[in-house]
Every structure is written in C-alpha cells, then in structure tokens.
Amino acid sequence: IEKYDGFDTRVKKKPPRFSIKQKFLLAAGVALFIGVSLELNSKYSGNSDTYIFATYYHPYTADYKLSRLSQNNCLTPAIANYNAGNYIGAIKLLREITKADSSNISGYFLLGVSLMETQNFEEAIQKFNYVIDRNDRIREQTEWYLALCYLKTDQRSKAVLLLNDLASQYYYQNKAVDILKKIK
C-alpha cells in the first residue's frame, strides 16, 4: 500500500448495489407491473363493457307474481331455488317446465336470468329473445337483461339498440341513458 502523506492512494471500489441478474429481474417486474396496470385500467375503466356490466347488473328479484303470470303455479319451486341462490337447481326445474310448456314465458325469462347467474350468457340471450318474440308483458325487464348480456358478450351494437329503446321506457330509463352516455 502506497501512502501519500499518510493517506492510502488506492481507490476503494464499492461493491455493486445490485447484480446484473437482480437489475434484470427488477426491470422485468416493473415492466410486468406497468403492463398489468394498463390492461386492468383499460378493461375496468368506466367505459368498458365489462365494467358497465359489473356496475349495472343486479340479480333479478324473483317474486311469486312471476309464478302467477304463468298458467299455473308450476314456477314456485324454481323461484324458491332461484331466490335461495341455487341457480343450477332453478335451471334444471325451468328447463323441465319450458320443455313441457313452451308457452310459459315467465319460465323462459327466469331461465334466462338463472343462466346469467351461472355465466351462461349465450344461452341466456337465446331465452330472452324467445321471450321478446312471444310476449310484451315482461318485455322491459327482458330487454334490460338481454342488453346486459350483449354487453358481457361484446355485442355492443345490439346492446345499444335495446338501450335506446329502454331509454324511452319507464323503469330502466335512467340506467339505459347512463350506459348510453358511457358507451358513446
């Protein structure tokens, strides 16, 4: 060790703070965090169809008036299952009911909302269209849930058509107008 006026003249190197491998892993983690954040932000931003669905979808409140709308009270057990959160049980009963009586529009409607609860949106769409084609009695509710199914399945143009119709109705008017504003 050379000494100059009592001082060590060697430059002491500080050990590296992070190794190259650690720096690479840190950079990859930051990039992954940014990517996930951007994806989630776009997916769940206030205007995405998924976010709109999650904001506006609320399970249908099945009451026994729906059963009285059918020709007999055959929907009562299915409504009980639906209200208890047993959607699979409700679907099973409703499939039997609608198979035996294709004119049971209330059964088709409740089957559609039960299918929504089990994330079977494509089949729910079929059931809701069946109801709309055959009945005006519960049309407004059916159009509402059908529009939400269309949003959930990336069929925005079909949802907009229904929402425009609902915007001139009574019960779902404000919600339909709000969604249309977010979509446009």
Side-chain angles (χ1 to χ4, degrees), residues 53 109 113 116 121-132 139-153 155 158-159 162-163 166:
F53 176 88
F109 173 76
V113 292
M116 285 181 78
F121 296 102
E122 293 297 333
E123 190 177 353
I125 288 169
Q126 293 171 0
K127 303 309 177 196
F128 291 141
N129 278 318
Y130 186 88
V131 172
I132 289 172
R139 185 179 192 93
E140 189 174 0
Q141 292 107 330
T142 307
E143 285 183 348
W144 173 252
Y145 285 101
L146 180 57
L148 292 175
C149 281
Y150 283 145
L151 285 175
K152 188 68 175 174
T153 58
Q155 298 179 64
K158 290 180 180 181
L162 288 170
L163 292 166
L166 288 166

PDB file of all heavy atoms in Angstrom, residues 53 109 113 116 121-132 139-153 155 158-159 162-163 166:
ATOM      1  N   PHE A  53     -71.154  -3.647 -17.340  1.00  0.00           N
ATOM      2  CA  PHE A  53     -71.950  -4.797 -16.912  1.00  0.00           C
ATOM      3  C   PHE A  53     -71.857  -4.954 -15.392  1.00  0.00           C
ATOM      4  O   PHE A  53     -72.868  -5.099 -14.706  1.00  0.00           O
ATOM      5  CB  PHE A  53     -71.482  -6.080 -17.603  1.00  0.00           C
ATOM      6  CG  PHE A  53     -72.216  -7.303 -17.126  1.00  0.00           C
ATOM      7  CD1 PHE A  53     -73.400  -7.689 -17.718  1.00  0.00           C
ATOM      8  CD2 PHE A  53     -71.732  -8.054 -16.064  1.00  0.00           C
ATOM      9  CE1 PHE A  53     -74.097  -8.808 -17.269  1.00  0.00           C
ATOM     10  CE2 PHE A  53     -72.413  -9.175 -15.600  1.00  0.00           C
ATOM     11  CZ  PHE A  53     -73.605  -9.539 -16.211  1.00  0.00           C
ATOM     12  N   PHE A 109     -88.144 -16.494 -19.084  1.00  0.00           N
ATOM     13  CA  PHE A 109     -87.479 -15.308 -18.544  1.00  0.00           C
ATOM     14  C   PHE A 109     -86.625 -15.676 -17.326  1.00  0.00           C
ATOM     15  O   PHE A 109     -85.449 -15.310 -17.249  1.00  0.00           O
ATOM     16  CB  PHE A 109     -88.506 -14.235 -18.164  1.00  0.00           C
ATOM     17  CG  PHE A 109     -87.877 -13.074 -17.444  1.00  0.00           C
ATOM     18  CD1 PHE A 109     -87.152 -12.128 -18.151  1.00  0.00           C
ATOM     19  CD2 PHE A 109     -88.003 -12.936 -16.076  1.00  0.00           C
ATOM     20  CE1 PHE A 109     -86.549 -11.065 -17.497  1.00  0.00           C
ATOM     21  CE2 PHE A 109     -87.413 -11.882 -15.411  1.00  0.00           C
ATOM     22  CZ  PHE A 109     -86.685 -10.934 -16.127  1.00  0.00           C
ATOM     23  N   VAL A 113     -82.446 -15.385 -16.658  1.00  0.00           N
ATOM     24  CA  VAL A 113     -81.696 -14.728 -15.579  1.00  0.00           C
ATOM     25  C   VAL A 113     -80.919 -15.762 -14.746  1.00  0.00           C
ATOM     26  O   VAL A 113     -79.822 -15.453 -14.259  1.00  0.00           O
ATOM     27  CB  VAL A 113     -82.582 -13.816 -14.696  1.00  0.00           C
ATOM     28  CG1 VAL A 113     -83.052 -12.612 -15.472  1.00  0.00           C
ATOM     29  CG2 VAL A 113     -83.729 -14.545 -14.064  1.00  0.00           C
ATOM     30  N   MET A 116     -77.792 -16.346 -16.613  1.00  0.00           N
ATOM     31  CA  MET A 116     -76.856 -15.240 -16.400  1.00  0.00           C
ATOM     32  C   MET A 116     -76.082 -15.447 -15.100  1.00  0.00           C
ATOM     33  O   MET A 116     -74.877 -15.185 -15.046  1.00  0.00           O
ATOM     34  CB  MET A 116     -77.596 -13.899 -16.334  1.00  0.00           C
ATOM     35  CG  MET A 116     -78.071 -13.379 -17.663  1.00  0.00           C
ATOM     36  SD  MET A 116     -78.903 -11.791 -17.486  1.00  0.00           S
ATOM     37  CE  MET A 116     -77.499 -10.680 -17.300  1.00  0.00           C
ATOM     38  N   PHE A 121     -74.073 -16.787 -20.744  1.00  0.00           N
ATOM     39  CA  PHE A 121     -74.708 -15.640 -21.376  1.00  0.00           C
ATOM     40  C   PHE A 121     -75.272 -15.945 -22.757  1.00  0.00           C
ATOM     41  O   PHE A 121     -76.309 -15.415 -23.127  1.00  0.00           O
ATOM     42  CB  PHE A 121     -73.723 -14.466 -21.448  1.00  0.00           C
ATOM     43  CG  PHE A 121     -73.329 -13.983 -20.091  1.00  0.00           C
ATOM     44  CD1 PHE A 121     -72.106 -14.330 -19.551  1.00  0.00           C
ATOM     45  CD2 PHE A 121     -74.194 -13.213 -19.336  1.00  0.00           C
ATOM     46  CE1 PHE A 121     -71.743 -13.897 -18.278  1.00  0.00           C
ATOM     47  CE2 PHE A 121     -73.850 -12.781 -18.067  1.00  0.00           C
ATOM     48  CZ  PHE A 121     -72.622 -13.120 -17.546  1.00  0.00           C
ATOM     49  N   GLU A 122     -74.609 -16.795 -23.504  1.00  0.00           N
ATOM     50  CA  GLU A 122     -75.088 -17.114 -24.852  1.00  0.00           C
ATOM     51  C   GLU A 122     -76.459 -17.785 -24.806  1.00  0.00           C
ATOM     52  O   GLU A 122     -77.355 -17.439 -25.572  1.00  0.00           O
ATOM     53  CB  GLU A 122     -74.078 -17.979 -25.610  1.00  0.00           C
ATOM     54  CG  GLU A 122     -72.771 -17.269 -25.946  1.00  0.00           C
ATOM     55  CD  GLU A 122     -72.947 -16.075 -26.881  1.00  0.00           C
ATOM     56  OE1 GLU A 122     -73.899 -16.042 -27.674  1.00  0.00           O
ATOM     57  OE2 GLU A 122     -72.101 -15.161 -26.804  1.00  0.00           O
ATOM     58  N   GLU A 123     -76.623 -18.738 -23.907  1.00  0.00           N
ATOM     59  CA  GLU A 123     -77.926 -19.401 -23.802  1.00  0.00           C
ATOM     60  C   GLU A 123     -78.969 -18.461 -23.202  1.00  0.00           C
ATOM     61  O   GLU A 123     -80.139 -18.494 -23.582  1.00  0.00           O
ATOM     62  CB  GLU A 123     -77.830 -20.683 -22.971  1.00  0.00           C
ATOM     63  CG  GLU A 123     -79.114 -21.499 -23.051  1.00  0.00           C
ATOM     64  CD  GLU A 123     -79.055 -22.815 -22.303  1.00  0.00           C
ATOM     65  OE1 GLU A 123     -77.982 -23.204 -21.799  1.00  0.00           O
ATOM     66  OE2 GLU A 123     -80.111 -23.471 -22.227  1.00  0.00           O
ATOM     67  N   ALA A 124     -78.542 -17.594 -22.280  1.00  0.00           N
ATOM     68  CA  ALA A 124     -79.470 -16.610 -21.714  1.00  0.00           C
ATOM     69  C   ALA A 124     -80.001 -15.701 -22.817  1.00  0.00           C
ATOM     70  O   ALA A 124     -81.190 -15.378 -22.847  1.00  0.00           O
ATOM     71  CB  ALA A 124     -78.772 -15.790 -20.631  1.00  0.00           C
ATOM     72  N   ILE A 125     -79.135 -15.320 -23.732  1.00  0.00           N
ATOM     73  CA  ILE A 125     -79.551 -14.485 -24.864  1.00  0.00           C
ATOM     74  C   ILE A 125     -80.645 -15.189 -25.668  1.00  0.00           C
ATOM     75  O   ILE A 125     -81.645 -14.577 -26.047  1.00  0.00           O
ATOM     76  CB  ILE A 125     -78.335 -14.130 -25.761  1.00  0.00           C
ATOM     77  CG1 ILE A 125     -77.432 -13.120 -25.039  1.00  0.00           C
ATOM     78  CG2 ILE A 125     -78.772 -13.604 -27.129  1.00  0.00           C
ATOM     79  CD1 ILE A 125     -76.090 -12.894 -25.710  1.00  0.00           C
ATOM     80  N   GLN A 126     -80.468 -16.476 -25.910  1.00  0.00           N
ATOM     81  CA  GLN A 126     -81.484 -17.233 -26.649  1.00  0.00           C
ATOM     82  C   GLN A 126     -82.826 -17.216 -25.918  1.00  0.00           C
ATOM     83  O   GLN A 126     -83.871 -17.003 -26.535  1.00  0.00           O
ATOM     84  CB  GLN A 126     -81.034 -18.680 -26.835  1.00  0.00           C
ATOM     85  CG  GLN A 126     -79.846 -18.858 -27.730  1.00  0.00           C
ATOM     86  CD  GLN A 126     -79.334 -20.292 -27.697  1.00  0.00           C
ATOM     87  OE1 GLN A 126     -79.860 -21.157 -27.001  1.00  0.00           O
ATOM     88  NE2 GLN A 126     -78.280 -20.550 -28.466  1.00  0.00           N
ATOM     89  N   LYS A 127     -82.799 -17.428 -24.623  1.00  0.00           N
ATOM     90  CA  LYS A 127     -84.048 -17.461 -23.846  1.00  0.00           C
ATOM     91  C   LYS A 127     -84.717 -16.093 -23.827  1.00  0.00           C
ATOM     92  O   LYS A 127     -85.942 -15.981 -23.967  1.00  0.00           O
ATOM     93  CB  LYS A 127     -83.799 -17.944 -22.408  1.00  0.00           C
ATOM     94  CG  LYS A 127     -83.149 -19.311 -22.304  1.00  0.00           C
ATOM     95  CD  LYS A 127     -83.845 -20.380 -23.132  1.00  0.00           C
ATOM     96  CE  LYS A 127     -83.093 -21.689 -23.041  1.00  0.00           C
ATOM     97  NZ  LYS A 127     -83.459 -22.646 -24.061  1.00  0.00           N
ATOM     98  N   PHE A 128     -83.930 -15.036 -23.662  1.00  0.00           N
ATOM     99  CA  PHE A 128     -84.505 -13.689 -23.651  1.00  0.00           C
ATOM    100  C   PHE A 128     -85.101 -13.323 -25.012  1.00  0.00           C
ATOM    101  O   PHE A 128     -86.169 -12.715 -25.079  1.00  0.00           O
ATOM    102  CB  PHE A 128     -83.466 -12.651 -23.233  1.00  0.00           C
ATOM    103  CG  PHE A 128     -83.058 -12.750 -21.787  1.00  0.00           C
ATOM    104  CD1 PHE A 128     -81.738 -12.565 -21.424  1.00  0.00           C
ATOM    105  CD2 PHE A 128     -83.976 -13.026 -20.788  1.00  0.00           C
ATOM    106  CE1 PHE A 128     -81.349 -12.634 -20.093  1.00  0.00           C
ATOM    107  CE2 PHE A 128     -83.597 -13.107 -19.453  1.00  0.00           C
ATOM    108  CZ  PHE A 128     -82.280 -12.909 -19.109  1.00  0.00           C
ATOM    109  N   ASN A 129     -84.445 -13.698 -26.082  1.00  0.00           N
ATOM    110  CA  ASN A 129     -85.001 -13.433 -27.414  1.00  0.00           C
ATOM    111  C   ASN A 129     -86.302 -14.199 -27.621  1.00  0.00           C
ATOM    112  O   ASN A 129     -87.230 -13.699 -28.254  1.00  0.00           O
ATOM    113  CB  ASN A 129     -83.985 -13.766 -28.505  1.00  0.00           C
ATOM    114  CG  ASN A 129     -82.990 -12.642 -28.705  1.00  0.00           C
ATOM    115  OD1 ASN A 129     -83.356 -11.472 -28.707  1.00  0.00           O
ATOM    116  ND2 ASN A 129     -81.735 -12.995 -28.863  1.00  0.00           N
ATOM    117  N   TYR A 130     -86.367 -15.397 -27.086  1.00  0.00           N
ATOM    118  CA  TYR A 130     -87.603 -16.190 -27.154  1.00  0.00           C
ATOM    119  C   TYR A 130     -88.738 -15.432 -26.467  1.00  0.00           C
ATOM    120  O   TYR A 130     -89.846 -15.343 -26.985  1.00  0.00           O
ATOM    121  CB  TYR A 130     -87.374 -17.558 -26.488  1.00  0.00           C
ATOM    122  CG  TYR A 130     -88.534 -18.514 -26.626  1.00  0.00           C
ATOM    123  CD1 TYR A 130     -88.638 -19.352 -27.733  1.00  0.00           C
ATOM    124  CD2 TYR A 130     -89.527 -18.591 -25.648  1.00  0.00           C
ATOM    125  CE1 TYR A 130     -89.689 -20.236 -27.866  1.00  0.00           C
ATOM    126  CE2 TYR A 130     -90.590 -19.476 -25.777  1.00  0.00           C
ATOM    127  CZ  TYR A 130     -90.669 -20.294 -26.893  1.00  0.00           C
ATOM    128  OH  TYR A 130     -91.720 -21.167 -27.023  1.00  0.00           O
ATOM    129  N   VAL A 131     -88.466 -14.875 -25.294  1.00  0.00           N
ATOM    130  CA  VAL A 131     -89.478 -14.123 -24.544  1.00  0.00           C
ATOM    131  C   VAL A 131     -89.917 -12.893 -25.329  1.00  0.00           C
ATOM    132  O   VAL A 131     -91.115 -12.633 -25.481  1.00  0.00           O
ATOM    133  CB  VAL A 131     -88.944 -13.707 -23.155  1.00  0.00           C
ATOM    134  CG1 VAL A 131     -89.915 -12.767 -22.446  1.00  0.00           C
ATOM    135  CG2 VAL A 131     -88.675 -14.945 -22.299  1.00  0.00           C
ATOM    136  N   ILE A 132     -88.964 -12.141 -25.856  1.00  0.00           N
ATOM    137  CA  ILE A 132     -89.285 -10.907 -26.584  1.00  0.00           C
ATOM    138  C   ILE A 132     -90.109 -11.206 -27.824  1.00  0.00           C
ATOM    139  O   ILE A 132     -91.036 -10.464 -28.161  1.00  0.00           O
ATOM    140  CB  ILE A 132     -87.994 -10.134 -26.934  1.00  0.00           C
ATOM    141  CG1 ILE A 132     -87.406  -9.531 -25.649  1.00  0.00           C
ATOM    142  CG2 ILE A 132     -88.253  -9.044 -27.969  1.00  0.00           C
ATOM    143  CD1 ILE A 132     -86.043  -8.917 -25.809  1.00  0.00           C
ATOM    144  N   ARG A 139     -91.579  -7.451 -21.265  1.00  0.00           N
ATOM    145  CA  ARG A 139     -90.607  -7.044 -22.281  1.00  0.00           C
ATOM    146  C   ARG A 139     -89.521  -6.121 -21.741  1.00  0.00           C
ATOM    147  O   ARG A 139     -88.341  -6.285 -22.053  1.00  0.00           O
ATOM    148  CB  ARG A 139     -91.324  -6.378 -23.451  1.00  0.00           C
ATOM    149  CG  ARG A 139     -90.393  -6.039 -24.596  1.00  0.00           C
ATOM    150  CD  ARG A 139     -91.155  -5.394 -25.758  1.00  0.00           C
ATOM    151  NE  ARG A 139     -90.316  -5.344 -26.920  1.00  0.00           N
ATOM    152  CZ  ARG A 139     -90.281  -6.271 -27.866  1.00  0.00           C
ATOM    153  NH1 ARG A 139     -91.065  -7.319 -27.797  1.00  0.00           N
ATOM    154  NH2 ARG A 139     -89.473  -6.150 -28.892  1.00  0.00           N
ATOM    155  N   GLU A 140     -89.908  -5.151 -20.934  1.00  0.00           N
ATOM    156  CA  GLU A 140     -88.925  -4.181 -20.458  1.00  0.00           C
ATOM    157  C   GLU A 140     -87.821  -4.859 -19.629  1.00  0.00           C
ATOM    158  O   GLU A 140     -86.638  -4.614 -19.863  1.00  0.00           O
ATOM    159  CB  GLU A 140     -89.614  -3.088 -19.641  1.00  0.00           C
ATOM    160  CG  GLU A 140     -88.698  -1.932 -19.306  1.00  0.00           C
ATOM    161  CD  GLU A 140     -89.423  -0.786 -18.622  1.00  0.00           C
ATOM    162  OE1 GLU A 140     -90.654  -0.872 -18.396  1.00  0.00           O
ATOM    163  OE2 GLU A 140     -88.753   0.186 -18.298  1.00  0.00           O
ATOM    164  N   GLN A 141     -88.206  -5.721 -18.699  1.00  0.00           N
ATOM    165  CA  GLN A 141     -87.199  -6.438 -17.905  1.00  0.00           C
ATOM    166  C   GLN A 141     -86.342  -7.329 -18.799  1.00  0.00           C
ATOM    167  O   GLN A 141     -85.131  -7.428 -18.620  1.00  0.00           O
ATOM    168  CB  GLN A 141     -87.849  -7.324 -16.827  1.00  0.00           C
ATOM    169  CG  GLN A 141     -88.526  -6.572 -15.748  1.00  0.00           C
ATOM    170  CD  GLN A 141     -90.038  -6.668 -15.884  1.00  0.00           C
ATOM    171  OE1 GLN A 141     -90.576  -6.789 -16.974  1.00  0.00           O
ATOM    172  NE2 GLN A 141     -90.725  -6.592 -14.774  1.00  0.00           N
ATOM    173  N   THR A 142     -86.989  -7.978 -19.734  1.00  0.00           N
ATOM    174  CA  THR A 142     -86.262  -8.884 -20.626  1.00  0.00           C
ATOM    175  C   THR A 142     -85.258  -8.117 -21.467  1.00  0.00           C
ATOM    176  O   THR A 142     -84.106  -8.546 -21.615  1.00  0.00           O
ATOM    177  CB  THR A 142     -87.244  -9.659 -21.528  1.00  0.00           C
ATOM    178  OG1 THR A 142     -88.225 -10.300 -20.708  1.00  0.00           O
ATOM    179  CG2 THR A 142     -86.533 -10.699 -22.357  1.00  0.00           C
ATOM    180  N   GLU A 143     -85.661  -6.978 -22.013  1.00  0.00           N
ATOM    181  CA  GLU A 143     -84.733  -6.170 -22.809  1.00  0.00           C
ATOM    182  C   GLU A 143     -83.556  -5.683 -21.968  1.00  0.00           C
ATOM    183  O   GLU A 143     -82.427  -5.624 -22.449  1.00  0.00           O
ATOM    184  CB  GLU A 143     -85.458  -4.975 -23.432  1.00  0.00           C
ATOM    185  CG  GLU A 143     -86.333  -5.347 -24.596  1.00  0.00           C
ATOM    186  CD  GLU A 143     -86.997  -4.144 -25.249  1.00  0.00           C
ATOM    187  OE1 GLU A 143     -86.975  -3.025 -24.674  1.00  0.00           O
ATOM    188  OE2 GLU A 143     -87.542  -4.319 -26.357  1.00  0.00           O
ATOM    189  N   TRP A 144     -83.803  -5.336 -20.712  1.00  0.00           N
ATOM    190  CA  TRP A 144     -82.730  -4.875 -19.833  1.00  0.00           C
ATOM    191  C   TRP A 144     -81.672  -5.965 -19.654  1.00  0.00           C
ATOM    192  O   TRP A 144     -80.485  -5.750 -19.855  1.00  0.00           O
ATOM    193  CB  TRP A 144     -83.295  -4.451 -18.480  1.00  0.00           C
ATOM    194  CG  TRP A 144     -82.227  -4.123 -17.479  1.00  0.00           C
ATOM    195  CD1 TRP A 144     -81.878  -4.852 -16.401  1.00  0.00           C
ATOM    196  CD2 TRP A 144     -81.358  -2.985 -17.493  1.00  0.00           C
ATOM    197  NE1 TRP A 144     -80.859  -4.247 -15.726  1.00  0.00           N
ATOM    198  CE2 TRP A 144     -80.512  -3.097 -16.381  1.00  0.00           C
ATOM    199  CE3 TRP A 144     -81.219  -1.890 -18.339  1.00  0.00           C
ATOM    200  CZ2 TRP A 144     -79.537  -2.151 -16.080  1.00  0.00           C
ATOM    201  CZ3 TRP A 144     -80.243  -0.952 -18.042  1.00  0.00           C
ATOM    202  CH2 TRP A 144     -79.416  -1.081 -16.931  1.00  0.00           C
ATOM    203  N   TYR A 145     -82.117  -7.149 -19.288  1.00  0.00           N
ATOM    204  CA  TYR A 145     -81.168  -8.239 -19.054  1.00  0.00           C
ATOM    205  C   TYR A 145     -80.520  -8.701 -20.358  1.00  0.00           C
ATOM    206  O   TYR A 145     -79.342  -9.070 -20.369  1.00  0.00           O
ATOM    207  CB  TYR A 145     -81.835  -9.393 -18.297  1.00  0.00           C
ATOM    208  CG  TYR A 145     -82.022  -9.048 -16.848  1.00  0.00           C
ATOM    209  CD1 TYR A 145     -83.265  -8.645 -16.360  1.00  0.00           C
ATOM    210  CD2 TYR A 145     -80.959  -9.079 -15.955  1.00  0.00           C
ATOM    211  CE1 TYR A 145     -83.429  -8.300 -15.029  1.00  0.00           C
ATOM    212  CE2 TYR A 145     -81.123  -8.735 -14.623  1.00  0.00           C
ATOM    213  CZ  TYR A 145     -82.355  -8.341 -14.168  1.00  0.00           C
ATOM    214  OH  TYR A 145     -82.517  -7.987 -12.848  1.00  0.00           O
ATOM    215  N   LEU A 146     -81.256  -8.645 -21.438  1.00  0.00           N
ATOM    216  CA  LEU A 146     -80.683  -9.000 -22.734  1.00  0.00           C
ATOM    217  C   LEU A 146     -79.601  -7.991 -23.129  1.00  0.00           C
ATOM    218  O   LEU A 146     -78.527  -8.370 -23.606  1.00  0.00           O
ATOM    219  CB  LEU A 146     -81.781  -9.074 -23.806  1.00  0.00           C
ATOM    220  CG  LEU A 146     -81.333  -9.435 -25.221  1.00  0.00           C
ATOM    221  CD1 LEU A 146     -80.600 -10.772 -25.257  1.00  0.00           C
ATOM    222  CD2 LEU A 146     -82.553  -9.468 -26.149  1.00  0.00           C
ATOM    223  N   ALA A 147     -79.851  -6.708 -22.920  1.00  0.00           N
ATOM    224  CA  ALA A 147     -78.845  -5.683 -23.227  1.00  0.00           C
ATOM    225  C   ALA A 147     -77.576  -5.921 -22.408  1.00  0.00           C
ATOM    226  O   ALA A 147     -76.459  -5.811 -22.936  1.00  0.00           O
ATOM    227  CB  ALA A 147     -79.408  -4.286 -22.953  1.00  0.00           C
ATOM    228  N   LEU A 148     -77.726  -6.271 -21.143  1.00  0.00           N
ATOM    229  CA  LEU A 148     -76.555  -6.556 -20.314  1.00  0.00           C
ATOM    230  C   LEU A 148     -75.804  -7.794 -20.810  1.00  0.00           C
ATOM    231  O   LEU A 148     -74.569  -7.825 -20.801  1.00  0.00           O
ATOM    232  CB  LEU A 148     -76.969  -6.711 -18.855  1.00  0.00           C
ATOM    233  CG  LEU A 148     -77.455  -5.432 -18.170  1.00  0.00           C
ATOM    234  CD1 LEU A 148     -77.957  -5.737 -16.761  1.00  0.00           C
ATOM    235  CD2 LEU A 148     -76.380  -4.367 -18.135  1.00  0.00           C
ATOM    236  N   CYS A 149     -76.553  -8.809 -21.255  1.00  0.00           N
ATOM    237  CA  CYS A 149     -75.907  -9.998 -21.832  1.00  0.00           C
ATOM    238  C   CYS A 149     -75.106  -9.617 -23.075  1.00  0.00           C
ATOM    239  O   CYS A 149     -73.988 -10.104 -23.274  1.00  0.00           O
ATOM    240  CB  CYS A 149     -76.944 -11.055 -22.207  1.00  0.00           C
ATOM    241  SG  CYS A 149     -77.575 -12.033 -20.850  1.00  0.00           S
ATOM    242  N   TYR A 150     -75.684  -8.773 -23.904  1.00  0.00           N
ATOM    243  CA  TYR A 150     -74.970  -8.339 -25.102  1.00  0.00           C
ATOM    244  C   TYR A 150     -73.691  -7.587 -24.743  1.00  0.00           C
ATOM    245  O   TYR A 150     -72.650  -7.780 -25.375  1.00  0.00           O
ATOM    246  CB  TYR A 150     -75.864  -7.464 -25.978  1.00  0.00           C
ATOM    247  CG  TYR A 150     -76.891  -8.228 -26.781  1.00  0.00           C
ATOM    248  CD1 TYR A 150     -78.147  -7.685 -27.016  1.00  0.00           C
ATOM    249  CD2 TYR A 150     -76.622  -9.476 -27.333  1.00  0.00           C
ATOM    250  CE1 TYR A 150     -79.104  -8.362 -27.766  1.00  0.00           C
ATOM    251  CE2 TYR A 150     -77.562 -10.162 -28.078  1.00  0.00           C
ATOM    252  CZ  TYR A 150     -78.798  -9.599 -28.302  1.00  0.00           C
ATOM    253  OH  TYR A 150     -79.727 -10.272 -29.041  1.00  0.00           O
ATOM    254  N   LEU A 151     -73.739  -6.738 -23.714  1.00  0.00           N
ATOM    255  CA  LEU A 151     -72.522  -6.043 -23.286  1.00  0.00           C
ATOM    256  C   LEU A 151     -71.476  -7.043 -22.809  1.00  0.00           C
ATOM    257  O   LEU A 151     -70.301  -6.927 -23.142  1.00  0.00           O
ATOM    258  CB  LEU A 151     -72.829  -5.044 -22.173  1.00  0.00           C
ATOM    259  CG  LEU A 151     -73.520  -3.762 -22.589  1.00  0.00           C
ATOM    260  CD1 LEU A 151     -73.877  -2.930 -21.367  1.00  0.00           C
ATOM    261  CD2 LEU A 151     -72.648  -2.949 -23.536  1.00  0.00           C
ATOM    262  N   LYS A 152     -71.906  -8.017 -22.038  1.00  0.00           N
ATOM    263  CA  LYS A 152     -70.987  -9.001 -21.478  1.00  0.00           C
ATOM    264  C   LYS A 152     -70.351  -9.870 -22.554  1.00  0.00           C
ATOM    265  O   LYS A 152     -69.229 -10.342 -22.395  1.00  0.00           O
ATOM    266  CB  LYS A 152     -71.741  -9.876 -20.460  1.00  0.00           C
ATOM    267  CG  LYS A 152     -70.867 -10.804 -19.684  1.00  0.00           C
ATOM    268  CD  LYS A 152     -69.947 -10.074 -18.737  1.00  0.00           C
ATOM    269  CE  LYS A 152     -69.174 -11.073 -17.898  1.00  0.00           C
ATOM    270  NZ  LYS A 152     -68.180 -10.459 -17.066  1.00  0.00           N
ATOM    271  N   THR A 153     -71.042 -10.064 -23.673  1.00  0.00           N
ATOM    272  CA  THR A 153     -70.531 -10.921 -24.749  1.00  0.00           C
ATOM    273  C   THR A 153     -69.991 -10.099 -25.926  1.00  0.00           C
ATOM    274  O   THR A 153     -69.898 -10.615 -27.040  1.00  0.00           O
ATOM    275  CB  THR A 153     -71.627 -11.896 -25.227  1.00  0.00           C
ATOM    276  OG1 THR A 153     -72.759 -11.143 -25.672  1.00  0.00           O
ATOM    277  CG2 THR A 153     -72.020 -12.865 -24.127  1.00  0.00           C
ATOM    278  N   GLN A 155     -71.189  -7.665 -27.724  1.00  0.00           N
ATOM    279  CA  GLN A 155     -72.105  -7.377 -28.825  1.00  0.00           C
ATOM    280  C   GLN A 155     -72.715  -5.993 -28.579  1.00  0.00           C
ATOM    281  O   GLN A 155     -73.917  -5.836 -28.404  1.00  0.00           O
ATOM    282  CB  GLN A 155     -73.187  -8.458 -28.903  1.00  0.00           C
ATOM    283  CG  GLN A 155     -72.619  -9.844 -29.176  1.00  0.00           C
ATOM    284  CD  GLN A 155     -73.699 -10.891 -29.229  1.00  0.00           C
ATOM    285  OE1 GLN A 155     -74.574 -10.847 -30.108  1.00  0.00           O
ATOM    286  NE2 GLN A 155     -73.665 -11.833 -28.298  1.00  0.00           N
ATOM    287  N   LYS A 158     -75.787  -4.455 -30.601  1.00  0.00           N
ATOM    288  CA  LYS A 158     -77.096  -5.000 -30.235  1.00  0.00           C
ATOM    289  C   LYS A 158     -77.550  -4.434 -28.893  1.00  0.00           C
ATOM    290  O   LYS A 158     -78.735  -4.148 -28.707  1.00  0.00           O
ATOM    291  CB  LYS A 158     -77.046  -6.530 -30.168  1.00  0.00           C
ATOM    292  CG  LYS A 158     -76.895  -7.181 -31.526  1.00  0.00           C
ATOM    293  CD  LYS A 158     -76.860  -8.696 -31.393  1.00  0.00           C
ATOM    294  CE  LYS A 158     -76.719  -9.360 -32.754  1.00  0.00           C
ATOM    295  NZ  LYS A 158     -76.713 -10.826 -32.632  1.00  0.00           N
ATOM    296  N   ALA A 159     -76.614  -4.263 -27.977  1.00  0.00           N
ATOM    297  CA  ALA A 159     -76.949  -3.682 -26.670  1.00  0.00           C
ATOM    298  C   ALA A 159     -77.434  -2.247 -26.838  1.00  0.00           C
ATOM    299  O   ALA A 159     -78.421  -1.845 -26.212  1.00  0.00           O
ATOM    300  CB  ALA A 159     -75.738  -3.719 -25.750  1.00  0.00           C
ATOM    301  N   LEU A 162     -81.102  -1.987 -27.934  1.00  0.00           N
ATOM    302  CA  LEU A 162     -82.024  -2.235 -26.827  1.00  0.00           C
ATOM    303  C   LEU A 162     -82.009  -1.084 -25.820  1.00  0.00           C
ATOM    304  O   LEU A 162     -83.056  -0.671 -25.320  1.00  0.00           O
ATOM    305  CB  LEU A 162     -81.673  -3.542 -26.118  1.00  0.00           C
ATOM    306  CG  LEU A 162     -81.982  -4.813 -26.887  1.00  0.00           C
ATOM    307  CD1 LEU A 162     -81.380  -6.020 -26.192  1.00  0.00           C
ATOM    308  CD2 LEU A 162     -83.482  -4.995 -27.044  1.00  0.00           C
ATOM    309  N   LEU A 163     -80.832  -0.571 -25.531  1.00  0.00           N
ATOM    310  CA  LEU A 163     -80.734   0.529 -24.567  1.00  0.00           C
ATOM    311  C   LEU A 163     -81.420   1.791 -25.078  1.00  0.00           C
ATOM    312  O   LEU A 163     -82.030   2.532 -24.303  1.00  0.00           O
ATOM    313  CB  LEU A 163     -79.269   0.804 -24.221  1.00  0.00           C
ATOM    314  CG  LEU A 163     -78.586  -0.302 -23.419  1.00  0.00           C
ATOM    315  CD1 LEU A 163     -77.081  -0.109 -23.412  1.00  0.00           C
ATOM    316  CD2 LEU A 163     -79.136  -0.372 -22.004  1.00  0.00           C
ATOM    317  N   LEU A 166     -84.963   1.188 -24.345  1.00  0.00           N
ATOM    318  CA  LEU A 166     -85.213   1.303 -22.902  1.00  0.00           C
ATOM    319  C   LEU A 166     -85.120   2.754 -22.413  1.00  0.00           C
ATOM    320  O   LEU A 166     -85.741   3.104 -21.411  1.00  0.00           O
ATOM    321  CB  LEU A 166     -84.228   0.433 -22.129  1.00  0.00           C
ATOM    322  CG  LEU A 166     -84.464  -1.066 -22.226  1.00  0.00           C
ATOM    323  CD1 LEU A 166     -83.261  -1.839 -21.711  1.00  0.00           C
ATOM    324  CD2 LEU A 166     -85.716  -1.464 -21.463  1.00  0.00           C
TER     325      LEU A 166
END
